[in-house]
Amino acid sequence: MAGVIIGVDEAGRGPLAGPVVAAAVLLCPDGITGLNDSKKLSEKRRIHLEAEIKAKCRWAIGIVDVAEIDRINIFQATMLAMTRAVAALGIEGDAEILIDGNMTPQGRVEAWRWPARAIVGGDALEPSISAASIIAKQARDAMMIEACATFPGYGFSRHKGYGTAEHMEALDRLGPCPLHRQSFAPVRAQLELGL
């Protein structure tokens, strides 16, 4: 496959709980209308676009769980999730990987083997990255909604693990659960208090 462009983005770098998820998308030849940074789209619009991307395009996700995040740090975990997503896509040959942000896994993850270019704000500028941002966010949101049933009381279905006032209050009241990133300062502080 010659000259293909694959967009990559991640979701879940900043939360206090849950995995980091990256997506890689090779857009269909006709493209997808209405793509944008997932954070700028309504949930209803994201759901519609997610279904269209999954039906028409090649896509894959890469996941790094909480234990791995704590072991290797969130930056390395993000680079690893991106590597896993691109590898899962199974594209070999002449492909260029466009990544949202200012860094790529090139030289940072041993398994990374594709030419890559980082684009700051790429999730709003490059359609393939926009598509990846939607797939990554929807996948991670679904995981956190599911986690809400396993770990009730934290409100994961609402804040998706981000450090909102509701989440911080639950963390104070209940202490960390297995989904919390122990290497993140607010969670570590609770552990040090013996909660």
Side-chain angles (χ1 to χ4, degrees):
M1 193 173 287
V4 301
I5 292 175
I6 296 164
V8 175
D9 199 7
E10 55 73 29
R13 195 166 170 170
L16 305 178
V20 63
V21 177
V25 174
L26 170 61
L27 283 179
C28 52
D30 297 336
I32 303 282
T33 304
L35 291 172
N36 201 344
D37 172 2
S38 63
K39 296 182 290 297
K40 296 178 180 174
L41 298 168
S42 68
E43 183 179 10
K44 184 179 177 184
R45 187 76 186 124
R46 280 196 315 270
I47 290 167
H48 171 80
L49 287 167
E50 176 194 25
E52 192 175 356
I53 294 161
K54 286 183 169 182
K56 294 180 178 178
C57 307
R58 286 184 65 173
W59 62 276
I61 62 170
I63 301 166
V64 175
D65 66 19
V66 173
E68 247 180 319
I69 291 169
D70 285 338
R71 188 171 54 78
I72 64 176
N73 80 45
I74 188 60
F75 174 75
Q76 282 302 126
T78 302
M79 297 292 118
L80 182 56
M82 290 177 176
T83 304
R84 287 177 177 170
V86 176
L89 200 58
I91 303 287
E92 296 301 333
D94 186 15
E96 182 182 19
I97 316 300
L98 303 180
I99 296 175
D100 181 53
N102 61 359
M103 296 202 186
T104 77
Q106 212 160 359
R108 295 179 174 89
V109 178
E110 196 177 324
W112 186 269
R113 58 185 187 277
W114 307 271
R117 184 160 49 100
I119 302 173
V120 175
D123 48 4
L125 299 171
E126 286 288 337
S128 61
I129 300 177
S130 300
S133 82
I134 292 163
I135 295 296
K137 178 166 176 46
Q138 291 300 106
R140 189 181 185 283
D141 282 2
M143 291 173 198
M144 295 309 291
I145 290 165
E146 196 175 303
C148 206
T150 309
F151 303 104
Y154 292 97
F156 289 137
S157 64
R158 290 183 295 281
H159 54 67
K160 312 299 188 287
Y162 284 88
T164 63
E166 176 193 10
H167 190 183
M168 297 309 293
E169 186 276 324
L171 197 54
D172 284 344
R173 185 168 33 88
L174 302 170
C177 76
L179 261 191
H180 282 100
R181 300 172 181 178
Q182 295 183 22
S183 56
F184 279 45
V187 178
R188 194 169 56 247
Q190 290 293 344
L191 291 166
E192 286 166 1
L193 288 172
L195 294 173

